[in-house]
Amino acid sequence: MLGPARLLACSCIESHSHFLTTFCSFLKSPPTPLAPLCPNPHLRKLGHSSFFHQQVGTMSFIERIADQLEKPALDDRSYRVIRLPNKLEALLVHDPDTDKASASVNVNVGSFSDADDMPGMAHAVEHLLFMGTEKYPVENDYSQYLSAHSGYSNAYTSSTETNYFFEVAAFSSKDPNAMTNGHLDSPLYGALDRFAQFFVAPLFLSSTLDRELKAVDSENKKNLQSDTWRLNQLKKTLSSQKHPYHHFSTGNLQTLKDEPTKRGVKIRDEFIQFHDRNYSANRMKLVVLGREKLDELETWVGDLFASVVNKDLPRNRWDGLQPFTEKELLTQIFAKPVMDTRLLDIYFPYQDEEEMYETQPSRYISHLIGHEGPGSILAHIKAKGWANSLSAGMAPVCPGSAFFTISIQLTEDGLKHYREVVEIVFQYISMIKEHSPQQWIVDEIKGMTEVDFKFRQKSPATTFTSKLSSIMQQPLPRDWLLSATSVIRKFDSQAITEALSYLRADNYRLTLVSQKFPGNWDQVEKWYGTEYRVEAIPSDFQSAVGKAAKSTATERISELHLPHKNEFIPTKLTVDKKEVTEPMKAPRLIRNDEVARTWWKKDDRFWVPKANAYVTLRNPLAKATPETAVKSNLYCELVKDALEEYSYDAEIAGLEYQLSSYSMGIDIDIGGYSDKLAVLLEKVLVGMRDLEVKEDRFNIVKERVLRGLRNWDFQQPYRQVGDFTRWLGSEKGWINEQYLAEVETLTAHDISTFYPQLLRQMHIECLAHGNIHKEDALRITDLVESTLRPRILPQSQWQIRRNLLLPPGSDYTYRRTLGDKANVNHCIEYYLYVGSLADNVLRAKLLLLGQMTEEIGFDQLRTKEQLGYIVFTGAKFAATVMGYRVIIQSEKPAPYLEERVNAFLALFASRLDEMGPEVFEGHKKSVINKRLERVKNLDQESERFWTAISGERFSFLQNEVDAGNIGEVTKEDMVEFFGQYIHPTSPVRAKLSVHMVAQSSPKVMVTANDDDDGSVMREKKEQLIALLSQYFTSLGLPTDMEKLTKRFGSVDLAPASGDNHNDIITSILEAITTYLKHDAAIAEEQVSKILEQGKQILGTVLPRLGVDVDVGEGGEELRPPPEGMRETVVVEDVLEFKKGLRLSEGPRGVKGLEEFEEMGWKL
C-alpha cells in the first residue's frame, strides 16, 4: 500500500450546478419507463427537461451494460453495471443484509505515469486529493463524517492504477429498515457525496501541501529497511530505463519538493497539471455497495458522479516496450538484504494474459512448477537439503508485459549449490514441455476454481469494492466481472504451449539474495541503499542451463515427474440445509469430561460445504520456560516439514491446517471443505505422534527458526513494541532474546526426548463448526484422544492466565534500543491501564473512548503535527485486563513523542468538555454499529467462537453486551472516566510507556558534541541568515546583513541534549522581531504578519539545515503538555519491576458451562 488515502477532477457541467440541484428531486424519483423507440433497451433517461436539453445540448442517458452477473450459488446480492454519459463505468451492488456500505474508485493512472524527474507524483496526488474539495473545503470533513458513521477510508497507488475506497455504516439507526422521506436512512449518500467531490473539484490546498509531502516522505522512510521494498526497487532500478517500470514509485521529500524547487518548479501547479493530464471519467471504475435498491444507487451515482470531466483519455498501455531488454537478460544480481534471508529468484519476461481470462495458461505452469508433492522441484531440492520453499506464478507488470517468477528460499547449503538449483528448474521446465499439455491437470485445476467460486462467501465490504473496481479496468465481459479472474473455463493446449515458450534459457534473469554471498557487492541502489553486484551469467553456467533446458528424459534427474491425481479434491459438496428462525449465537458443549471438552455448531448461516476444527492440547509445559517454548516451536515446525509433501495436495484442494505452540499448549487448526477434513486431521495427529526427528532436517529447520528469531530485530519498530508491553504486563512471558539464547544449544535428540512429554499428558479442547454434524464433531475429539492416548491433565494443573496490575498513580517507562542500527524510526507505545476485562461497564467506556479519539488522534498527531506515518489510538485488550494505548512510529525521539501524547490527551479533554449532545450520540451510535456488525463468512464466525472459548470467558455474546452498555453511557460518565483513567494530570491513572530508540538518524543533527570548533553551527547560521535575507527582500523589506547577523549572535542552533527543540524557534523569532522593529523600523502590526508566515518557513528550512524542530499547523506553536504531571520511573530491572506488581484474577466464564451443554440431541 502506498499511503493512507486522498483524490480529484473537474466537472463538464459544473456551471449548471443550480439546475442539477433543481433536478435532484426528479433524479430521486422512480426511474422513468424506457422510451418505446429507444434504440438500446439498456439506455435509461436521466431526464426529459427541455431546459436540460438546452443546457447540455444532447439528451443524457445512463447506459445499463449488464444486470445478470454470474455469481456464487449462495450470493443474495443484486448487481448492475452502468455507464454514465461521461463514460465513467460503475458496478452497483444491492446487498439487503449488509451492515456496511462501501464504494471504491479505481483510476487508470499510477506510478508509471510519473515524470522521470519527479518520481512519486501519482502517490502524492493520491494523498493530496483527501485534503479538501470545493464543496467540502474542511480538510478532514470526509474522515470526520466516516468516523461518525462507523467508517474509514484508505487508498493505494500501484504502477498503473490508483485505488480509493471507504466503508461506512449501512444504516443510521438501530432499525436497519428505518426510512427518511421514503428512502432508507443511510449514511452512504453523504459519504458518496463527499467521495465524489475528490474527482469533481479538489482544492490541492497550499496549506496542506507540505504536510502531505512529509507524510509521503515518512511513509517512504518507514519502508527503507524493508527487504520487500528494497529488493523490489532494485529489480526495477536495474530494468530498462526506457520502460516506466524503473520508476521509484513512492517518492520522498527530495524528489517531490527539494529537487523540483531547486529547478524552479511550482510544485502545487505540477500536481494539478499531473491530475489534469491523467484523471478522466473514462479512466475511472466505480463500485458502490449498499442496502439500497439498484435503481436508487443508480440515481445517486448519476447525480453525484456525472460532473466528473471526461477527457476521453486512452487507456494506459506500454506496448512495444519490455522492462527487460537484451541488456538486462542473462544477468545475475547479487543483493545484500537487511534480514538474514537466502533467496533465489528467476524472472522470465512473459506475455500479457489479461485477454486470456478463459484459459489462463500461466496457472497450468505455476501449478506444476510450484507443486510441493512427490516428483516436484521442491521435493527434490528439499531432499538434498538445498531449499525450504518454492513459489511460482505470473505477475502482470502493465498492459503489454508481465513476468513469470520462480522464487526459492534456499538453505545455507543450497546457497552454495544455487547453480545446480537453477539447472534442476530448467530440467523440470524441459520435462513439462516434453509432455503435451495434460487435460486432466487442467480439468483438476478448473474443477477447483469452479467449486471455489460456487461456494465463495462474502468478504468485507471494502475488500470487495476495492478489488472489483481494479478488476473492472481489465477487458472482461461485464457479466463475468465476479468470476472471470477466478474461474478457468477452457482447456487450450496451444495457449499453454505458447505460454511455455517464454520459459527459455535465453530469456531470464537471476537474483540471488544473501547477507554473506558473494560478499563483493560493489554498488548501492539509489533509493533504498541496497548493496548489490550485477554481472553477466558466466559462460559455463549459461551453457549448463542451456543443456538442462534441452534435456531429454534419459538425461534428466529421474526423481522429477508430473504430480499424481489429487485425492483431496472434494467430492461431497452437499449441505444439509434446514430453515432456522434465527441463527444460533453460540456453539453447544456436547462433551465435557476430564479428558476433553467439545464445542460444536452446525452452520445455520452460510450454508457452504466447509468446516473449521480448532483443537487445543492443553499442557503448561509448552511454554513453561523459554527453553520449552523453543522446543515446542521446533517440534511444530518439524511436524509441518515432515508433512509438507502430503499436505500440499490438501492445500490446493481447499483444505489447510496450522500447527503452533502458545502459552496454554499446542494448537491444531484445520479448515476448508468438510468432505476430507477428518482425513487430514488424522494424518496430522499421526505425524505428531510418530515424528522421527532426522538430523539433517532438524539442522535445516533449526537454522530457519534461528534466522527468524534473529530477523525479529529488523522488523518495523511498531511491530516490535507491543511484544515488550505484553511481556512487562505478564506474570510469565518471554521475549525474543530469551528464545534466541536457547536455540543454539538444542539438538535433534533434545526434541526427540521432549515432544513425547508434551503429548503424554493433556486436556483436549475442541471446536467443530460448519458443515459438520454432531456425531462427526464428537468423532473429531475421539480421533485426537485415540491417536495421542494422553493421560488426564487435572484441572488443578491447568495454567491460569493472569496479568500484572499497574498500581494507581504509577508512571513507568521502559526503554529498548533497536537492534537494526540503520533504522531511523523511533517508536512509543503509551499504555494506560483501565481495569478488568470482565468489567463490562468500564469496557463500554473504553470502547467509546477509542471511537472518540480515532479521528482526532490521527488528525492531530499525524496530519497536523506530522509525527510519523504510523499513528494508532484505541483500546488494548490482554488476557484479563484492558487499557488505552497510543502507538507512534516517528523519526522524532520517543521522549518527545511522549510529550506530544500528553498534550494530545489534554487537548482531547477540552474537546470532550465542549462536545455537544449530537456529536456525542453520534460517536455512541458509531461504536454500537461496529460492535453489532455481522460476521461475513464462516471463518469469521469460527474465529469469534474460538476467541471466546480459548479466552476462557465463553463470552459469545460480548459484542451485544458491549452495544447495550455503550447505549447507557452519558457524557458525564465519559468526562469522569477520562479524568480518572486517562488525563495526564490524574493522580490515580496508571501508565506504562515503552520507548523503542533508534540508533540512526535520517539527517546529521547539529549538536555541541560533534561541533567542537563551532564551524558547523556557524555555517548553518549563515545559511539561515541568507535565507531570511532573501525572504525579507521578496517582501520588499530593507535588509541589512550586518545588523541581521548581529541580532543572531545569541541564537544557538545546537541545543544541549534534552532541551526542547522548539526553544530554537523561539530564539530565532525573538532575533527576527528585534531586527524588524529596531533595525528595519517595521510597524508592530506588520511584524506580526511577517512572523506568522515566517514560522511556516522555519518549519521547512530548519530541518534542511539539520535542526530538528516542530511547528504546528499553519505555523501555530504546539500545545504544551499539561503541568502537574508526575515524574516517570524508568524500568531498569524488569524482574524487580514485576516483583512489585499485584496479579489480576484469572478469567472466569460469564456463565457456568452447564448452560452451554447439550448432551442428548442430534442434528
Side-chain angles (χ1 to χ4, degrees), residues 101-342:
S102 177
S104 173
V105 167
N106 187 286
V107 189
N108 176 219
V109 61
S111 62
F112 280 13
S113 299
D114 290 346
D116 285 341
D117 61 354
M118 205 167 171
M121 290 181 70
H123 182 208
V125 168
E126 171 216 308
H127 277 248
L128 290 164
L129 290 184
F130 279 71
M131 296 288 101
T133 62
E134 286 185 14
K135 186 172 182 180
Y136 299 101
V138 177
E139 68 181 59
N140 64 336
D141 178 272
Y142 174 61
S143 59
Q144 281 185 332
Y145 181 89
L146 295 179
S147 179
H149 294 91
S150 312
Y152 72 94
S153 67
N154 212 326
Y156 68 81
T157 301
S158 70
S159 55
T160 62
E161 61 185 48
T162 307
N163 193 296
Y164 306 83
F165 53 91
F166 72 81
E167 180 176 287
V168 73
F171 42 84
S172 292
S173 64
K174 292 182 180 179
D175 178 7
N177 299 309
M179 307 286 281
T180 300
N181 296 326
H183 298 279
L184 285 172
D185 188 11
S186 169
L188 176 59
Y189 186 88
L192 271 179
D193 187 17
R194 288 161 174 81
F195 187 50
Q197 292 303 309
F198 287 5
F199 309 95
V200 174
L203 292 176
F204 284 99
L205 291 169
S206 300
S207 61
T208 68
L209 189 63
D210 275 358
R211 283 195 277 105
E212 284 308 303
L213 294 183
K214 286 179 181 178
V216 170
D217 190 64
S218 180
E219 182 178 352
N220 179 61
K221 288 191 172 80
K222 173 181 71 71
N223 300 324
L224 288 178
Q225 289 300 100
S226 166
D227 281 327
T228 300
W229 288 86
R230 292 165 68 90
L231 296 174
N232 186 53
Q233 185 60 51
L234 179 62
K235 181 174 71 170
K236 294 165 63 177
T237 297
L238 296 179
S239 66
S240 170
Q241 300 301 292
K242 294 181 179 179
H243 194 286
Y245 183 72
H246 79 277
H247 285 175
F248 167 46
S249 58
T250 310
N252 58 28
L253 213 52
Q254 177 187 355
T255 66
L256 294 169
K257 184 177 181 183
D258 295 347
E259 293 300 327
T261 300
K262 290 178 183 177
R263 299 194 302 268
V265 173
K266 294 182 178 179
I267 298 169
R268 178 174 178 269
D269 292 349
E270 200 67 26
F271 290 134
I272 293 173
Q273 290 168 18
F274 177 89
H275 169 268
D276 191 53
R277 289 193 304 269
N278 293 287
Y279 276 61
S280 173
N282 73 304
R283 280 186 174 178
M284 297 179 188
K285 308 298 179 184
L286 166 68
V287 178
V288 182
L289 182 154
R291 294 171 64 90
E292 292 73 19
K293 299 289 188 183
L294 292 177
D295 288 345
E296 184 158 21
L297 291 176
E298 182 176 298
T299 298
W300 288 3
V301 169
D303 180 12
L304 299 173
F305 287 86
S307 304
V308 180
V309 167
N310 175 30
K311 302 164 188 172
D312 275 325
L313 300 178
R315 185 183 182 215
N316 275 317
R317 294 189 64 88
W318 288 268
D319 296 310
L321 293 174
Q322 286 297 327
F324 292 171
T325 64
E326 287 186 11
K327 177 183 176 183
E328 290 79 34
L329 292 174
L330 302 185
T331 57
Q332 55 183 6
I333 300 162
F334 300 98
K336 183 179 180 182
V338 172
M339 291 190 175
D340 189 0
T341 304
R342 293 182 296 270

Side-chain angles (χ1 to χ4, degrees), residues 892-906:
K892 295 176 172 58
Y896 177 75
L897 299 178
E898 179 135 348
E899 285 184 11
R900 301 317 310 149
V901 174
N902 286 326
F904 161 69
L905 293 177

Side-chain angles (χ1 to χ4, degrees), residues 683-697:
K683 185 69 175 181
V684 172
L685 291 168
V686 171
M688 294 173 66
R689 183 193 66 195
D690 299 340
L691 176 67
E692 179 186 354
V693 184
K694 298 177 180 178
E695 192 74 33
D696 59 340
R697 293 312 303 171

Side-chain angles (χ1 to χ4, degrees), residues 467-650:
K467 180 179 179 180
L468 261 294
S469 66
S470 175
I471 287 174
M472 288 178 71
Q473 294 288 1
Q474 300 178 40
L476 305 172
R478 274 19 204 164
D479 289 341
W480 290 358
L481 279 178
L482 303 179
S483 60
T485 60
S486 305
V487 177
I488 296 175
R489 299 172 189 275
K490 294 179 182 178
F491 168 66
D492 189 333
S493 178
Q494 181 58 40
I496 294 172
T497 301
E498 177 67 23
L500 281 166
S501 70
Y502 288 89
L503 276 59
R504 304 189 310 270
D506 64 345
N507 187 49
Y508 73 98
R509 184 169 87 174
L510 300 181
T511 298
L512 195 67
V513 179
S514 168
Q515 283 191 333
K516 300 176 181 177
F517 181 81
N520 60 342
W521 310 281
D522 56 1
Q523 297 186 66
V524 176
E525 196 276 323
K526 177 178 181 181
W527 302 112
Y528 288 82
T530 305
E531 294 181 68
Y532 71 96
R533 178 182 181 85
V534 60
E535 63 187 30
I537 300 282
S539 57
D540 60 330
F541 182 19
Q542 179 57 22
S543 176
V545 169
K547 182 178 178 181
K550 296 178 180 178
S551 60
T552 63
T554 57
E555 297 169 326
R556 280 193 297 272
I557 297 167
S558 60
E559 289 85 354
L560 299 179
H561 59 79
L562 294 178
H564 53 67
K565 291 194 175 183
N566 191 343
E567 300 302 325
F568 272 100
I569 298 292
T571 55
K572 297 177 182 178
L573 295 169
T574 56
V575 177
D576 184 12
K577 184 174 182 179
K578 294 187 177 181
E579 294 301 324
V580 294
T581 305
E582 185 179 0
M584 288 171 56
K585 296 179 180 180
R588 311 309 299 169
L589 185 58
I590 58 174
R591 176 178 174 179
N592 184 18
D593 54 42
E594 293 177 310
V595 177
R597 283 198 300 234
T598 303
W599 300 82
W600 163 76
K601 182 193 169 188
K602 172 75 171 67
D603 174 39
D604 56 3
R605 187 189 296 268
F606 303 105
W607 309 116
V608 290
K610 295 184 176 184
N612 292 305
Y614 295 82
V615 180
T616 284
L617 310 179
R618 186 192 300 267
N619 186 329
L621 179 63
K623 284 206 172 179
T625 67
E627 180 186 7
T628 62
V630 170
K631 286 179 178 178
S632 298
N633 184 35
L634 278 168
Y635 165 63
C636 292
E637 292 300 314
L638 286 163
V639 172
K640 289 188 287 187
D641 183 72
L643 292 175
E644 192 164 38
E645 286 188 30
Y646 179 86
S647 64
Y648 184 72
D649 274 351

